[in-house]
């Protein structure tokens, strides 16, 4: 641009102060403020999902599947657990269309209302002893709706954060959104631990387990206002428009970016495969084997989640030094090595099982902490908003949706070597995807 262009006169009616204010408004939302919105939003969503995951072990086999033995009760509960991950991409597509018609704030409010209502609706659901098979169908329905709401709750904040982070600190800011997962787990597990520990078994299975589902609606309301505070501001909208972060139809995304969506999903598969194998699966395996008190397992998992938070933060430092792609590949290899010890650790006594949980959470933090970077770095700017949402949806679907069901079902039949095989398959997929996608290397 020529110098004369820089010295063009101010348009009539626009003062220098107004111009300065307009320029200043673009930087009013700092990356740190966006990061807070990301953490709050993700923590509330993961809380909803972990409430269901923990209840699938402690509650649902007794309340909704009393006719089945312990193993099949857990497997039926895990089959319903997977439904939300199947419906999640459909929720993304549905609410992206809603955003194009009615705007971002309407979309986010409606999606979180759907998510919170489905979760709270489970709290009012009578068990099998009252409704029979209808109770199971209603539970499955609420779980499907929960996934639709979760898919629709994508606000674009992680993509915006990645684009506004300083180039030398992208790994640091990428990990911030991932902190929501261990934080959500800590809140959900703490509630269940308190109720399971303090109530008699009959009271817990009658009414106590319902309390975390009630709380989920309140948590979603708080998270909604925290996120709307950013989403409805002029500065946020302006930043999204400048970054071309607008919703694109799912059909167009799959047609023009299908390669990037699925490659990005597989690039983070090791992290997502590990996710439910250190949170939900150990609880179910130990409950089935009756090898230690479940309250003690929840305490160990709470310690593991705290370790995961620390390791997630550390992953940001590591990624800024060696690159996000290299970090993800390195810890995928560590997950593969860890997988080899799964039968020895989970098949042993309480000490070895606790080591599996704690080490697993540490690796989860180190690897999952950079999974978001693989979601955003694949796409051109105009595709990042919708592409990041769909890539995350499919990563959860391929890597984590069926992990507890497959791991428990195969382990009960063939032994814990099935857990090793599941984690190793995730490691192989991650390394192959990272190897194929050269874009990761150039954009890190």
């Amino acid at each position: 641009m020529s110098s004369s262009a820089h010295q063009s006169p101010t348009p009539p009616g626009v003062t220098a102060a107004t111009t300065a204010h307009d320029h200043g408004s673009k930087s009013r939302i700092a990356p740190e403020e966006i990061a807070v919105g990301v953490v709050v939003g993700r923590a509330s969503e993961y809380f909803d999902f972990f409430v269901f995951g923990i209840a699938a072990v402690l509650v649902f086999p007794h309340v909704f599947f009393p006719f089945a033995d312990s193993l099949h009760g857990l497997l039926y509960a895990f089959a319903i657990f997977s439904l939300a991950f199947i419906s999640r991409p459909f929720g993304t597509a549905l609410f992206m269309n809603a955003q194009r018609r009615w705007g971002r704030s309407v979309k986010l409010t409606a999606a979180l209302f759907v998510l919170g209502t489905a979760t709270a609706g489970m709290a009012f659901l009578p068990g099998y002893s009252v409704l029979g098979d209808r109770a199971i169908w209603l539970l499955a329905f609420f779980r499907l709706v929960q996934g639709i709401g979760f898919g629709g709750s994508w606000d674009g904040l992680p993509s915006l954060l990645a684009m506004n982070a300083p180039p030398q600190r992208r790994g640091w800011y990428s990990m911030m959104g991932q902190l929501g997962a261990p934080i959500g787990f800590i809140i959900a597990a703490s509630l269940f631990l308190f109720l399971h520990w303090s109530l008699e078994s009959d009271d817990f299975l009658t009414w106590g387990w319902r309390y975390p589902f009630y709380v989920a609606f309140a948590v979603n309301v708080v998270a909604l206002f925290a996120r709307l505070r950013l989403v409805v501001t002029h500065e946020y909208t302006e930043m999204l428009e400048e970054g071309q972060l607008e919703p694109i139809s799912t059909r167009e995304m799959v047609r023009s970016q299908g390669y990037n969506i699925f490659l990005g999903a597989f690039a983070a598969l090791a992290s997502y495969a590990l996710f439910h194998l250190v949170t939900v699966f150990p609880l179910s395996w130990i409950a089935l084997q009756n090898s230690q008190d479940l309250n003690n397992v929840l305490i160990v998992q709470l310690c593991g989640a705290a370790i995961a938070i620390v390791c997630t933060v550390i992953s940001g430092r590591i990624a800024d030094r060696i690159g996000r792609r290299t970090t993800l590949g390195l810890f995928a290899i560590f997950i593969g090595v860890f997988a080899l010890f799964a039968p020895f650790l989970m098949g042993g006594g309480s000490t070895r099982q606790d080591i599996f949980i704690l080490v697993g959470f540490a690796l989860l933090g180190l690897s999952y902490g950079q999974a978001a970077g693989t979601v955003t770095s694949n796409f051109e700017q105009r595709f990042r908003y919708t592409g990041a949402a769909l890539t995350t949806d499919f990563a959860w679907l391929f890597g984590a949706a069926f992990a507890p069901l497959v791991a428990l079902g195969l382990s009960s039949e063939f032994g814990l070597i099935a857990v090793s095989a599941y984690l190793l398959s995730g490691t192989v997929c991650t390394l192959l995807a990272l190897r194929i996608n050269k874009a990761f290397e150039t954009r890190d």
Side-chain angles (χ1 to χ4, degrees), residues 56 95 138 146 328 339 347:
F95 281 96
L138 285 171
Q146 195 180 44
L328 198 63

Side-chain angles (χ1 to χ4, degrees), residues 280-302:
V280 179
F281 170 74
L283 201 60
S284 66
W285 180 259
I286 292 170
L288 191 62
Q289 302 298 318
N290 198 25
S291 54
Q292 59 173 305
D293 185 77
L294 292 182
N295 291 329
N296 293 335
V297 179
L298 286 172
I299 292 173
V300 173
Q301 288 189 316
L302 285 171

Side-chain angles (χ1 to χ4, degrees), residues 72-408:
H72 286 89
L74 286 167
L75 293 177
Y76 294 149
F78 286 157
I80 293 179
F81 176 77
S82 68
L83 294 179
F85 300 97
I86 297 172
S87 64
R88 181 171 167 170
F90 296 98
T92 297
L94 175 66
F95 281 96
M96 285 292 177
N97 184 59
Q99 180 176 334
R100 289 196 298 273
R101 292 191 177 193
W102 297 298
R104 187 174 292 106
S105 60
V106 171
K107 170 220 176 183
L108 185 58
T109 302
L112 288 179
F113 179 81
V114 168
L115 175 62
T117 301
T119 307
M122 297 174 190
F124 294 96
L125 187 59
Y128 183 86
S129 61
V130 177
L131 292 181
D133 290 343
R134 286 176 296 174
I136 299 174
W137 286 108
L138 285 171
L139 180 65
F141 169 76
F142 281 129
R143 183 60 174 167
L144 283 167
V145 174
Q146 195 180 44
I148 290 172
F150 202 3
S153 65
W154 181 255
D155 51 23
L157 285 172
S159 296
L160 187 64
L161 179 60
M163 293 177 64
N164 285 273
Q168 70 278 10
R169 301 199 70 195
R170 284 175 181 165
W172 175 259
Y173 283 101
S174 291
M175 69 82 188
M176 287 189 174
Q178 309 303 82
L179 289 171
I183 292 173
F185 180 82
I186 286 175
I187 300 172
S190 297
L191 272 174
F192 271 105
L193 175 61
F194 172 75
L195 294 167
H196 195 254
W197 199 320
S198 58
L199 296 177
E200 295 293 332
S201 178
D202 288 344
D203 290 335
F204 176 75
L205 292 176
T206 301
W207 60 267
W209 68 271
R210 301 175 186 275
Y211 181 70
F213 288 83
Y214 296 136
V215 172
F217 192 88
V219 169
N220 273 287
V221 171
V222 173
L224 172 63
F225 283 105
R227 294 158 80 179
L228 284 179
R229 178 178 171 270
L230 286 175
V231 169
V232 301
T233 60
H234 170 72
E235 292 83 4
Y236 175 84
T237 302
E238 191 175 62
M239 291 172 75
L240 283 175
E241 290 174 350
E242 287 177 354
Q244 302 178 36
L245 294 176
E246 294 297 325
I248 297 174
S249 71
T250 305
R251 183 178 302 175
E252 181 183 350
M253 283 297 305
V254 172
R255 184 176 64 250
S256 63
Q257 296 290 307
Y259 170 87
N260 281 333
I261 291 172
F262 288 100
L263 199 58
F266 279 102
L269 211 63
S271 300
Y272 288 93
L274 181 62
F275 203 95
H276 288 144
L277 293 185
V278 297
T279 53
V280 179
F281 170 74
L283 201 60
S284 66
W285 180 259
I286 292 170
L288 191 62
Q289 302 298 318
N290 198 25
S291 54
Q292 59 173 305
D293 185 77
L294 292 182
N295 291 329
N296 293 335
V297 179
L298 286 172
I299 292 173
V300 173
Q301 288 189 316
L302 285 171
C303 295
I307 293 172
I309 290 175
V310 175
C311 289
T312 301
V313 173
I314 292 173
S315 77
R317 297 293 188 188
I318 295 173
D320 284 336
R321 288 180 176 269
I322 66 176
R324 287 172 292 168
R325 175 179 176 269
T326 303
T327 301
L328 198 63
L330 175 64
F331 288 113
I333 295 173
F334 284 175
I335 290 172
V337 174
F338 173 69
L340 301 177
F341 292 91
F344 171 76
L345 294 174
M346 281 303 296
S350 59
T351 300
R352 278 192 265 169
Q353 290 172 341
D354 293 347
I355 291 173
F356 175 89
I357 293 170
L358 295 175
V359 174
F361 266 106
L363 288 174
L364 180 64
L366 291 167
S367 59
Y368 184 70
Q370 294 305 309
T374 68
V375 169
T376 56
S377 63
N378 274 1
F379 300 96
E380 299 173 13
Q381 279 192 204
R382 69 179 294 261
F383 292 117
R384 282 194 176 186
Y385 182 80
T386 307
L390 288 173
T391 304
T392 302
D393 291 345
F394 285 110
W396 278 112
L397 178 60
F398 299 148
F402 305 100
L405 178 65
V406 172
L408 183 63

